[in-house]
Amino acid sequence: MRPGAPVVHDKDVATARISRPQENVVGEAHGEIGDVEAGFAEADAVYEDTYRTQRVQHASLETHGAVAWFDDDGRLNVRTSSQTPFLTRRALYALYDLPPEQVRVVAGRVGAGFGGKQEMLVEDIVALAVLRLRRPVKLEYTRAEQFYGATTRHPFTIRVKAGARRGGTLTALQLRVVSNTGAYGNHGPAVMFHSVGESMAVYRAPHKKVDAFSVYTHTVPAGAFRGYGLGKVMFAVESALDELARRVGLDPLEFKAKNRDQEEPVSEPVPDGWLVGQGTALAMIATGPPGGHIADARAALLPDGTFDLAVGTAEFGNGTTTVHRQIAAGELATTVERITVRQSDTDVVQHDTGAFASTGVVVAGKATLRASRALADMLLDFAAATLRVPRTDGRLVEEAVAHPGGRLALKELYEAARAVGVTCAADGHFGGTPRSVAFNAQWFRLAVDPGTGEIRILRSVHAADAGEVMNPMQYRGQVEGGVAQALGATLFENVPVDARGEVETAAFRRYRLPQYADIPRTEVHFMETADAIGPLGAKSMSESPFNPVTPAFANALRDATGLRFTELPLTRDRVWLALDAAGVTSP
C-alpha cells in the first residue's frame, strides 16, 4: 500500500473487479455510524493499540486432490476433495466453455476442510489434462505443496480504538483493518468484509467507524478459514474492551455483562510462584453470506420401503450427514438406518452453494426438512386416496401408513404409486435468507511461569447458543474441536515467509500443531434457545466456537501477567521475553 510499491496485478479497475490495482488494494470497506471523534471526546477513558495475527495452515489430513475422466457418454467427471462441488462444476464449464450438462463433480466424504477446500486449486488442472489427453488423470498435493500451493488463514493487522464512560458505557469504537490476501484475491474481500461485521455488531455503541482493506502481496495466497476473519478482529476488539474496562475501574466481565456469576470456579492446583489470571470473550456469527446460500434436497421412497435422501452439501467431518438423516427420519417417522444419503454430487440435486459459512445444518438442513415434509404429505395423501379414507385418518409409522382399518406397508404404497405412474419423491429448497445468528462465549483460567514463559490452562469453559441441539454428541465435538483448533492458532501455529516471500514451514515437522497433551478438557454448556430460521429450531455450531478462544486466552494472560500481548502466536519464548523485559516476577 506504500507509494511506489511494486504493483502485483496491473489491471484496469473497470474490468478486473479490483478496488485500486495501482495501490494493491483488492477490496475495501468504509463506514461510520454517528461521529466517532465526538464519541471519544465524551469518553472518560480511551484505549488504542495495534494487534497482529499470523498465517495459519488448515492442516487437513487429506490434502487437495482430484481425479478426472470421461465416461462412456462423453461427460467430464471430476472426483475431488472439495467443500463446494457445485461451484467447482460451474467454474469448470465456464473456464473450458463446456455445456453445463457435460460436467459432473463428485466430492464424496472429504478428509477435512476448515474452509481450505472451498476453492478450485487442482480440479482445473486435471480437467485440462483430460481434455487434452482423453485419459484419466489424477493430481494430489504433497504436504509441501499443501503449504506452498494451497491457501492459508489471512494475516491481519488491526488498529482498534475504544472509548467509554466511568460507568461502563461504550461511547465509541473504531477499527482500521489491513488483511494480507497474498498474491491472489481468493476470498480476500469477503473475509475482510465479514471480519468487521459481527465483531463490531456484538457490542452497542452510538459511534462506530470502520476502515478495512484487503491487500495484495507477493506471498502465498490466503483464503477461507474457520471463522472467516471474525476471530482475528474479535481478538483485537475483545482485548481492547478488556483493557478499556480496567481504565474505567470495572472488572472486564462486568463491563461486558453486568450479571455474571461471581462464584470462583474450582480449577487445577497452581504451582508455587506462578501467575494466575482469567479472561472471557464473546463472539457472534451470522450463517451464510449476505446474498443468500442456496441448498436443494430430494427425498424419495424406494421399492423396499426405505428412503433415499439426496443432498448437495459435502461431508468433511462436520457431521451434517448424520443430522440430515435425523431430520428426514423425524419427518418420515422412521429410523436413520432406513435412510440412504447421496451427497456432494452435482447429478443428485439442482444446486447447493457448498458446505461453508456455517450452512450445512441451518441452510441445507432446512432444504432436507422441506423435502422430507413434502414427501411425508405426499405419502399420506396417496395412501388416503388408495384406501379411500380421510387424509386425517392416516399417519406415518415405521415401514407403513397406519389407518383405522390397519396398515398399508410402504412397499405396497410404492407399488401402487408406480402402477399409476406416480413417483414418490419430493424436493426441498432454501435460499439462506434471512440469516440465522449464533453466539459463543469462552472463559479461561490459566497460570504462567514467569521464569520460563510456560502457560498452563487450569480451566476452560465454553457456552454456546446453538438453538435446538439435534445431536448433543456431535455439537459437543464441534465445540471441543473449535477450541482445540483455535488454541493451536493462539499458541503455536505460524506459516512464516522469508525475505523472498517463500514459505518456511512446508512440512508438519516444522509446523507446530497442538497435540493431545496441549488441549485441556473444555466444559461445554448449551443454552436453551430455539431459532425461528433454522430447521426445527437449530442454529449453526461449526465455525462459531473457534472465534472467542483467542481473545479469551489473551485476556486471561493479561489478567495473570499485567501485560497486554497484541501479536500472535503467544509462544512460550515470546511470553518469557515480554515478562523478562517488564521485570515481571513471581507474586
Side-chain angles (χ1 to χ4, degrees):
M1 295 178 72
R2 292 175 179 167
V7 176
V8 180
H9 295 288
D10 189 5
K11 294 185 177 182
D12 177 67
V13 67
T15 59
R17 296 188 298 172
I18 299 173
S19 179
R20 286 183 281 139
Q22 299 309 309
E23 282 123 18
N24 296 315
V25 177
V26 60
E28 54 192 310
H30 307 279
E32 185 171 7
I33 298 171
D35 182 343
V36 291
E37 292 306 320
F40 291 128
E42 296 170 10
D44 294 313
V46 175
Y47 172 80
E48 185 175 11
D49 210 338
T50 299
Y51 292 78
R52 291 179 174 84
T53 66
Q54 79 283 24
R55 289 180 183 84
V56 175
Q57 236 287 327
H58 301 82
S60 304
L61 290 185
E62 180 184 47
T63 60
H64 284 77
V67 58
W69 70 95
F70 280 112
D71 61 22
D72 294 339
D73 296 326
R75 297 177 74 207
L76 175 64
N77 286 256
V78 178
R79 184 174 181 87
T80 177
S81 179
S82 171
Q83 298 173 229
T84 55
F86 286 83
L87 298 186
T88 299
R89 172 177 175 264
R90 181 191 297 172
L92 287 173
Y93 68 66
L95 182 62
Y96 296 123
D97 196 22
L98 299 171
E101 64 275 9
Q102 289 300 306
V103 180
R104 178 191 184 192
V105 177
V106 182
R109 283 182 174 263
V110 176
F114 310 117
K117 292 176 180 173
Q118 289 187 40
E119 304 182 53
M120 186 172 69
L121 298 182
V122 294
E123 298 88 349
D124 52 338
I125 300 173
V126 294
L128 176 61
V130 169
L131 289 169
R132 293 293 300 271
L133 301 174
R134 316 299 291 188
R135 296 177 61 186
V137 175
K138 178 181 178 181
L139 172 61
E140 181 179 355
Y141 275 5
T142 65
R143 184 58 60 185
E145 289 168 338
Q146 194 75 7
F147 276 92
Y148 286 124
T151 59
T152 70
R153 193 183 189 209
H154 285 77
F156 266 54
T157 301
I158 309 114
R159 186 74 182 174
V160 58
K161 185 177 182 181
R165 298 190 182 96
R166 289 189 184 89
T169 302
L170 273 174
T171 61
L173 184 60
Q174 183 175 3
L175 291 175
R176 186 182 189 275
V177 175
V178 179
S179 169
N180 180 351
T181 194
Y184 300 98
N186 298 67
H187 288 249
V191 168
M192 177 267 300
F193 278 115
H194 193 242
S195 73
V196 296
E198 293 92 292
S199 56
M200 288 281 279
V202 71
Y203 291 108
R204 289 192 301 269
H207 309 287
K208 295 181 180 180
K209 185 177 181 180
V210 166
D211 293 289
F213 308 87
S214 179
V215 183
Y216 288 123
T217 60
H218 286 103
T219 59
V220 58
F225 192 103
R226 191 177 197 172
Y228 215 65
L230 283 177
K232 289 163 281 195
V233 177
M234 284 173 178
F235 164 52
V237 171
E238 291 286 319
S239 297
L241 295 186
D242 191 275
E243 288 295 328
L244 186 59
R246 299 172 192 275
R247 281 160 171 72
V248 295
L250 292 178
D251 182 287
L253 293 178
E254 277 188 87
F255 186 74
K256 295 174 183 177
K258 298 292 182 77
N259 299 316
R260 76 176 182 96
D261 185 356
Q262 299 287 339
E263 183 179 349
E264 181 69 14
V266 178
S267 300
E268 282 186 30
V270 181
D272 291 338
W274 288 48
L275 309 169
V276 180
Q278 60 179 332
T280 189
L282 173 67
M284 167 185 170
I285 192 168
T287 298
H293 191 108
I294 297 170
D296 287 286
R298 184 173 179 83
L301 178 64
L302 298 175
D304 63 355
T306 63
F307 296 95
D308 174 81
L309 177 64
V311 294
T313 193
E315 172 66 61
F316 57 101
N318 44 2
T320 53
T321 307
T322 300
V323 173
H324 283 271
R325 275 198 174 102
Q326 289 181 271
I327 293 171
E331 294 299 313
L332 296 166
T334 186
T335 61
V336 293
E337 293 79 14
R338 295 182 60 79
I339 296 176
T340 301
V341 177
R342 293 180 295 137
Q343 62 192 125
S344 312
D345 185 339
T346 58
D347 273 5
V348 302
V349 294
Q350 292 184 13
H351 182 79
D352 187 288
T353 309
F356 62 92
S358 303
T359 56
V361 170
V362 177
V363 179
K366 192 69 170 277
T368 291
L369 176 71
R370 289 177 172 176
S372 304
R373 188 168 288 174
L375 177 59
D377 288 339
M378 174 186 288
L379 296 177
L380 290 171
D381 287 341
F382 189 79
T386 302
L387 298 169
R388 294 184 174 85
V389 298
R391 164 74 159 72
T392 54
D393 286 352
R395 61 186 179 87
L396 276 171
V397 297
E398 189 175 354
E399 301 186 47
V401 174
H403 55 90
R407 293 161 59 95
L408 176 63
L410 292 179
K411 295 179 186 178
E412 298 172 10
L413 186 61
Y414 178 90
E415 292 298 332
R418 190 178 68 164
V420 295
V422 174
T423 301
C424 293
D427 295 320
H429 173 85
F430 185 52
T433 302
R435 305 161 74 195
S436 178
V437 178
F439 295 86
N440 291 71
Q442 175 70 39
W443 178 88
F444 284 114
R445 185 169 187 261
L446 53 80
V448 184
D449 181 359
T452 65
E454 181 183 351
I455 302 173
R456 292 186 189 176
I457 298 173
L458 304 176
R459 195 177 183 202
S460 171
V461 181
H462 192 102
D465 168 27
E468 186 67 34
V469 178
M470 295 186 180
N471 192 310
M473 184 178 293
Q474 283 196 168
Y475 267 50
R476 191 172 298 275
Q478 287 286 2
V479 172
E480 291 173 347
V483 173
Q485 190 175 33
L487 282 173
T490 303
L491 294 169
F492 312 120
E493 299 182 49
N494 187 22
V495 181
V497 296
D498 62 17
R500 297 175 58 251
E502 187 170 347
V503 171
E504 295 182 326
T505 56
F508 277 162
R509 63 180 173 271
R510 294 194 294 273
Y511 184 77
R512 173 74 159 90
L513 285 165
Q515 300 179 46
Y516 188 82
D518 297 318
I519 304 302
R521 174 185 175 271
T522 294
E523 300 171 35
V524 180
H525 301 273
F526 292 116
M527 304 301 100
E528 295 183 2
T529 63
D531 189 55
I533 299 171
L536 305 175
K539 290 189 176 186
S540 68
M541 201 44 55
S542 51
E543 294 182 277
S544 50
F546 185 99
N547 293 323
V549 173
T550 298
F553 192 96
N555 288 339
L557 184 60
R558 197 282 186 204
D559 189 47
T561 65
L563 303 180
R564 173 57 66 183
F565 291 84
T566 59
E567 186 171 352
L568 299 178
L570 300 172
T571 53
R572 184 169 170 174
D573 57 339
R574 181 172 284 169
V575 171
W576 181 84
L577 286 169
L579 293 173
D580 184 63
V584 177
T585 59
S586 299

